[in-house]
């Protein structure tokens, strides 16, 4: 297995792990961040998409498939950005990392997947980790709502592979363009809240989010996840959580206590176990 692909995957996750810190530290609001990131990404990739005439042969069914992908992705970003702003970068990253358990449950709900006893135990451990990292529930405190928003974001993120599978015959670039373009429409519904960056630092942070954390990270991850075995990409992806927690601790001075570390470890262990169980089931 080429070491180069593993390094590409690690670099992609490292780039992704900057997202919570950059979003939390910028003064731009959730809508402005989303519109800026998606618009810059589309400006860069659209010329190639139109040059290759990738959209001219789309059927109505495929176009609807891209619409569903973009709508889901837009809601995923909205809820994730809100979670970061309200619950904090570390807690939001932990909440979204539960997507592996949600993916199993969505497969069971919509594709008739039979969940095994070991998978049920892993999901239970994941829930236990969520309980450990959860703040005391108080609906008047933003952190509680932010954590729930992060869990909703994880469910939406888990739905993405299922939606992509419905139009898997389309090139990756076409699906990426559709994901970004229709997600932008979701954010444009809230355009009245859009604000231009106020400071040079805001411009720098938003450009980093658009170029490094969107185009670079997503592009590298698509390549790595396509060519590496699924088990390896699943394992590498969960580097995201400790990297995001370390970044939030050093750059944002967020409190990362033992209970949060233990809860995050349980969530990561549970989801990595689910990935391993999936791999073993496919091999058998």
């Amino acid at each position: 297995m080429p070491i180069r692909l593993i390094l590409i995957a690690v670099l992609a996750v490292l780039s992704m792990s900057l997202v919570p810190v950059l979003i939390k530290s910028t003064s731009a609001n959730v809508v402005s961040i989303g519109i800026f990131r998606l618009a810059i990404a589309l400006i860069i990739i659209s010329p190639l998409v139109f040059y290759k005439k990738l959209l001219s042969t789309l059927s109505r069914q495929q176009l609807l498939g891209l619409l569903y992908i973009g709508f889901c992705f837009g809601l995923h970003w909205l809820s994730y950005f809100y979670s970061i702003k309200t619950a904090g970068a570390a807690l939001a990253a932990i909440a979204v990392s539960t997507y592996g358990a949600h993916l199993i449950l969505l497969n069971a709900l919509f594709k008739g997947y039979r969940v095994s006893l070991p998978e049920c135990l892993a999901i239970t451990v994941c829930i236990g980790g969520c309980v450990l990292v959860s703040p005391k529930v108080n609906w008047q405190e933003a952190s509680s709502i932010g954590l729930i928003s992060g869990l909703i974001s994880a469910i939406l993120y888990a739905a993405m592979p299922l939606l992509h599978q419905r139009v898997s015959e389309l090139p990756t670039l076409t699906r990426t363009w559709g994901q970004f373009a229709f997600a932008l429409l979701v954010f444009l519904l809230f355009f009245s809240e859009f604000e231009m960056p106020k400071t040079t630092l805001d411009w720098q942070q938003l450009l980093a989010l658009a170029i490094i954390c969107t185009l670079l990270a997503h592009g590298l991850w698509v390549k790595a996840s396509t060519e590496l075995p699924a088990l390896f990409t699943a394992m590498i992806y969960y580097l995201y959580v400790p990297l995001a927690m370390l970044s939030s601790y050093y750059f944002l001075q967020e409190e990362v206590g033992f209970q949060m570390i233990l809860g995050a470890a349980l969530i990561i262990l549970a989801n990595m176990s689910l990935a391993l169980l999936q791999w073993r089931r496919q091999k058998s």
Side-chain angles (χ1 to χ4, degrees), residues 2 15-16 29 52 55 65 76-77 89 92 98 100 123 135 148 159 168 174 204 217 219 222 234 245 262 264 272:
S15 302
M16 291 177 191
N29 62 36
K52 291 188 173 184
L55 306 180
H76 158 61
W77 264 17
T98 61
I123 292 170
I148 293 171
S168 58
T174 304
Q204 292 170 345
V222 166
M245 291 174 68
L262 178 59
M272 290 177 69

Side-chain angles (χ1 to χ4, degrees), residues 58-272:
L58 290 177
S59 67
R60 183 174 179 274
Q61 191 69 22
Q62 290 170 333
L63 190 60
L64 279 175
L66 294 179
L67 174 64
Y68 296 146
I69 290 171
F71 184 74
C72 184
F73 187 66
L75 292 178
H76 158 61
W77 264 17
L78 270 174
S79 51
Y80 186 38
F81 296 173
Y82 179 80
S83 178
I84 292 170
K85 288 288 193 182
T86 54
L91 191 56
I94 293 169
V96 171
S97 72
T98 61
Y99 90 97
H102 296 302
L103 180 58
I104 295 289
L105 295 175
L106 288 176
N107 271 294
L109 185 61
F110 294 107
K111 301 183 74 173
Y113 180 84
R114 295 185 64 182
V115 184
S116 66
L117 179 59
E119 288 170 335
C120 288
L121 292 174
I123 292 170
T124 302
V125 171
C126 183
I127 294 171
C130 291
V131 172
L132 278 176
V133 302
S134 299
K136 292 182 179 179
V137 177
N138 184 343
W139 300 113
Q140 295 180 340
E141 289 187 6
S143 58
S144 296
I145 305 297
L147 177 64
I148 293 171
S149 181
L151 294 173
I152 292 172
S153 180
I155 296 172
L156 292 165
Y157 189 48
M160 293 295 295
L162 303 181
L163 294 174
H164 273 282
Q165 288 168 12
R166 297 176 63 178
V167 287
S168 58
E169 72 278 6
L170 294 177
T172 299
L173 184 59
T174 304
R175 285 184 280 121
T176 301
W177 185 91
Q179 179 172 307
F180 289 164
F182 289 115
L184 179 58
L185 293 182
V186 173
F187 279 90
L188 289 176
L189 294 174
F190 307 95
F191 186 74
S192 59
E193 298 181 29
F194 177 77
E195 299 174 348
M196 291 297 290
K198 298 174 182 177
T199 66
T200 301
L201 180 60
D202 283 338
W203 276 105
Q204 292 170 345
Q205 290 168 330
L206 290 174
L207 284 171
L209 281 166
I211 296 172
I212 298 175
C213 303
T214 303
L215 282 175
L216 176 66
H218 281 267
L220 292 176
W221 186 250
V222 166
K223 178 175 177 60
S225 60
T226 300
E227 299 183 29
L228 281 174
L231 179 63
F232 277 80
T233 54
M235 299 295 187
I236 293 170
Y237 178 81
Y238 285 105
L239 289 172
Y240 177 88
V241 179
L243 287 171
M245 291 174 68
L246 283 171
S247 298
S248 66
Y249 177 78
Y250 283 109
F251 296 113
L252 301 177
Q253 286 75 53
E254 289 187 358
E255 183 179 351
V256 180
F258 174 75
Q259 189 167 322
M260 180 179 286
I261 294 172
L262 178 59
L266 289 175
I267 292 170
I268 295 170
L269 176 64
N271 282 278
M272 290 177 69

Side-chain angles (χ1 to χ4, degrees), residues 23-64:
I23 288 178
K24 182 67 175 178
S25 59
T26 182
S27 63
N29 62 36
V30 166
V31 173
S32 301
I33 294 169
I35 290 176
F36 198 94
R37 287 183 72 180
L38 292 167
I40 293 293
L42 285 169
I43 287 170
I44 293 174
I45 68 171
S46 288
L48 182 58
V49 171
F50 292 126
Y51 174 75
K52 291 188 173 184
K53 299 180 180 179
L54 296 176
L55 306 180
S56 59
T57 58
L58 290 177
S59 67
R60 183 174 179 274
Q61 191 69 22
Q62 290 170 333
L63 190 60
L64 279 175

